[in-house]
Amino acid sequence: MNLYEDLKWRGLLKDISSPKIEELLNGGGVTFYIGTDPTGDSLHIGHFSSFLIASRLKKAGHNPVLLIGGATGLIGDPKPTAERAMITKEEVAHNVEALTNQVKKIFDFEVVNNWDWSKDINFIDYLRDYGKYFSVNYMLDKDIIKRRLDAGITYTEFSYMIMQSLDFLWLYENKGVTMQVAGQDQWGNITAGIDLIRKKTGKEAYGFTVPLITKKDGTKFGKSEGNAIWLDINKTSSYEMYQFFINTEDEMVIDYLKKLTFLSKEEIEELEKTHKEKPELRIAHKKLAEEVITFLHGHDEYEKAVRISESLFSEDVINLTSEEVISSLKGVPSVEVALGSTIVDMLVDSKIVSSKREAREFVSAGAISINNKKIVDLDYVVDKKDTIEGKVLIIKRGKKNYYLGMIKR
């Protein structure tokens, strides 16, 4: 299976600018670019499939260039529903540096910053050298612009298309870039850049888009949706990423294996067969987690995530470090625990229960555990032996209510 067929099979091709794309992809040697604006200091899983496409093309003999939008990030790509909040120049500069380091470390791509060629263009030259090639009617016909007309769109946002087209032209003329790759929401900007190159140089450039990776209900993975899984291990630990993939919707796991891993068609089809026969084993989910975490952070981090996952909800939790427990239970309510208290007093003082009567009922019913060990003695004293490194303990009330106990100093 050639590269184009592989991308089609994986569901990684949405729009293509020309039938020549197939020949170009299969032939190798194309210098292409993929871009992102520095709206955060880390990429997230929503970026990952697009950037992984660049790795697929690189493996097939193409030459990737990553553009980080130090200039366009100051303007903001139009959102479908409302204007983006502008971020400060200082924040953009910080994010550019962070993303540059991250991308070089993970993907080993050449990185450029469009601030470098945009910062010295004055307004008159911008209008004369670029703006005159864009008719307002042409721009209004772009989908993202049409969707914003009723709600209103500023001239600043309206100009974003010209700025991105300018990027494509500059890279075409200075880096030999002849193709742009982007998420499907960038199709209008890609075609605008192709048109600008043709009008300014008389030459042809190309582009294709990648479907946005979504959950089963069609919602995106991204920070604006409040469910970002960051590629930065300090923002999303390997354990958190492992849990994310292990708990992926069954209907989506094979799709994610196709889009987020380098596993072959044969390997994925075998996993799909096993998944259909024994979905409860979550073998496809585990393989997905292994492939992504290993690619991003190394196999040791994957094994660490598995170890934490297997220990966290068993009595082996006592063998974890306090740092591992705290990192793994970010979303769990935190309470202060005073050592030397009885289990009843501890539950009341930490407000896990509302009264001593309720505490006694929970304990007597076997519904309270510390570090996954049931406590049934009403006179049980919580002391250092119950802690992990003398710093934390995990309290469970009932079947689903977990609390991270932080030891009072």
Side-chain angles (χ1 to χ4, degrees), residues 286-321:
K286 291 174 183 177
K287 190 61 177 175
L288 174 63
E290 179 182 3
E291 291 296 311
V292 176
I293 294 171
T294 299
F295 182 89
L296 292 172
H297 306 309
H299 198 70
D300 287 350
E301 279 295 327
Y302 167 71
E303 291 183 336
K304 177 182 175 182
V306 173
R307 177 175 61 82
I308 292 174
S309 297
E310 291 176 347
S311 301
L312 197 57
F313 302 107
S314 72
E315 289 190 28
D316 287 342
V317 69
I318 202 73
N319 297 319
L320 298 178
T321 67

Side-chain angles (χ1 to χ4, degrees), residues 159-214:
S159 300
Y160 186 94
M161 183 187 301
I162 300 178
M163 292 187 69
Q164 186 167 316
S165 300
L166 189 162
D167 291 340
F168 201 170
L169 175 65
W170 190 93
L171 290 170
Y172 179 90
E173 293 180 329
N174 294 275
K175 293 285 186 179
V177 169
T178 56
M179 182 183 294
Q180 184 181 354
V181 181
Q184 66 185 68
D185 56 343
Q186 295 298 309
W187 179 240
N189 292 328
I190 289 178
T191 53
I194 290 171
D195 288 342
L196 179 63
I197 289 169
R198 185 173 61 251
K199 290 173 182 177
K200 289 277 284 186
T201 71
K203 302 291 179 60
E204 188 70 19
Y206 305 91
F208 69 89
T209 64
V210 182
L212 300 177
I213 187 166
T214 65

Side-chain angles (χ1 to χ4, degrees), residues 302-358:
Y302 167 71
E303 291 183 336
K304 177 182 175 182
V306 173
R307 177 175 61 82
I308 292 174
S309 297
E310 291 176 347
S311 301
L312 197 57
F313 302 107
S314 72
E315 289 190 28
D316 287 342
V317 69
I318 202 73
N319 297 319
L320 298 178
T321 67
S322 57
E323 184 179 316
E324 287 172 337
V325 172
I326 292 169
S327 174
S328 303
L329 297 179
K330 282 181 183 176
V332 168
S334 178
V335 298
E336 281 197 331
V337 173
L339 297 182
S341 301
T342 66
I343 186 69
V344 171
D345 288 338
M346 185 274 287
L347 292 171
V348 174
D349 292 343
S350 60
K351 297 182 172 53
I352 292 174
V353 298
S354 59
S355 66
K356 288 189 176 183
R357 179 187 61 78
E358 189 177 36

Side-chain angles (χ1 to χ4, degrees), residues 25 69-71 96 98 105 128 149 173 182 215 238 243 253 260 308 384 388:
L25 287 176
V96 167
K105 180 180 178 181
R128 287 175 59 86
L149 288 180
E173 293 180 329
K215 297 191 293 184
S238 294
Q243 289 300 313
V253 66
L260 300 179
I308 292 174
K384 191 171 182 179
I388 297 168

Side-chain angles (χ1 to χ4, degrees), residues 117-387:
W117 59 83
S118 301
K119 66 181 186 298
D120 295 325
I121 301 174
N122 66 49
F123 186 63
I124 299 300
D125 289 343
Y126 171 77
L127 293 176
R128 287 175 59 86
D129 294 342
Y130 308 105
K132 71 175 182 177
Y133 290 100
F134 292 82
S135 77
V136 172
N137 289 345
Y138 172 85
M139 297 174 74
L140 289 174
D141 196 47
K142 297 297 183 182
D143 183 62
I144 190 66
I145 302 298
K146 286 195 290 188
R147 284 188 283 168
R148 281 290 304 280
L149 288 180
D150 288 340
I153 184 169
T154 66
Y155 180 76
T156 301
E157 295 175 283
F158 194 58
S159 300
Y160 186 94
M161 183 187 301
I162 300 178
M163 292 187 69
Q164 186 167 316
S165 300
L166 189 162
D167 291 340
F168 201 170
L169 175 65
W170 190 93
L171 290 170
Y172 179 90
E173 293 180 329
N174 294 275
K175 293 285 186 179
V177 169
T178 56
M179 182 183 294
Q180 184 181 354
V181 181
Q184 66 185 68
D185 56 343
Q186 295 298 309
W187 179 240
N189 292 328
I190 289 178
T191 53
I194 290 171
D195 288 342
L196 179 63
I197 289 169
R198 185 173 61 251
K199 290 173 182 177
K200 289 277 284 186
T201 71
K203 302 291 179 60
E204 188 70 19
Y206 305 91
F208 69 89
T209 64
V210 182
L212 300 177
I213 187 166
T214 65
K215 297 191 293 184
K216 181 183 174 184
D217 63 5
T219 56
K220 296 191 299 181
F221 293 111
K223 62 182 181 298
S224 60
E225 282 69 37
N227 57 356
I229 301 296
W230 301 100
L231 305 194
D232 184 342
I233 197 169
N234 296 311
K235 294 168 75 75
T236 297
S237 68
S238 294
Y239 165 77
E240 291 174 288
M241 188 171 286
Y242 181 83
Q243 289 300 313
F244 169 75
F245 286 121
I246 284 294
N247 292 298
T248 289
E249 297 150 317
D250 286 352
E251 298 88 342
M252 300 303 295
V253 66
I254 301 303
D255 186 57
Y256 295 164
L257 279 167
K258 291 178 180 179
K259 292 178 179 176
L260 300 179
T261 78
F262 286 101
L263 293 175
S264 68
K265 182 174 184 287
E266 291 73 24
E267 289 172 313
I268 292 173
E269 287 176 343
E270 185 62 31
L271 285 165
E272 184 173 21
K273 178 182 176 183
T274 304
H275 177 60
K276 288 178 178 177
E277 292 173 349
K278 298 179 180 179
E280 71 280 2
L281 298 180
R282 306 194 84 69
I283 291 174
H285 297 71
K286 291 174 183 177
K287 190 61 177 175
L288 174 63
E290 179 182 3
E291 291 296 311
V292 176
I293 294 171
T294 299
F295 182 89
L296 292 172
H297 306 309
H299 198 70
D300 287 350
E301 279 295 327
Y302 167 71
E303 291 183 336
K304 177 182 175 182
V306 173
R307 177 175 61 82
I308 292 174
S309 297
E310 291 176 347
S311 301
L312 197 57
F313 302 107
S314 72
E315 289 190 28
D316 287 342
V317 69
I318 202 73
N319 297 319
L320 298 178
T321 67
S322 57
E323 184 179 316
E324 287 172 337
V325 172
I326 292 169
S327 174
S328 303
L329 297 179
K330 282 181 183 176
V332 168
S334 178
V335 298
E336 281 197 331
V337 173
L339 297 182
S341 301
T342 66
I343 186 69
V344 171
D345 288 338
M346 185 274 287
L347 292 171
V348 174
D349 292 343
S350 60
K351 297 182 172 53
I352 292 174
V353 298
S354 59
S355 66
K356 288 189 176 183
R357 179 187 61 78
E358 189 177 36
R360 286 191 288 267
E361 289 176 354
F362 274 117
V363 174
S364 298
I368 298 295
S369 65
I370 293 179
N371 299 333
N372 298 310
K373 180 180 178 181
K374 281 188 179 181
I375 307 298
V376 294
D377 180 1
L378 293 171
D379 296 319
Y380 186 89
V381 176
V382 181
D383 60 24
K384 191 171 182 179
K385 73 179 184 305
D386 297 303
T387 69

Side-chain angles (χ1 to χ4, degrees), residues 32-36 43 47-60 62-68 99-113 175 181 231 262 295:
F32 68 96
Y33 94 94
I34 183 170
T36 187
L43 301 175
H47 296 112
F48 189 50
S49 64
S50 299
F51 279 70
L52 212 57
I53 279 232
S55 290
R56 296 183 201 281
L57 268 62
K58 184 177 180 179
K59 284 177 177 289
H62 300 287
N63 310 305
V65 176
L66 171 69
L67 182 148
I68 297 179
L99 291 180
T100 299
N101 293 333
Q102 183 179 57
V103 169
K104 285 182 176 179
K105 180 180 178 181
I106 296 174
F107 298 100
D108 192 29
F109 294 161
E110 177 185 0
V111 180
V112 296
N113 179 357
K175 293 285 186 179
V181 181
L231 305 194
F262 286 101
F295 182 89

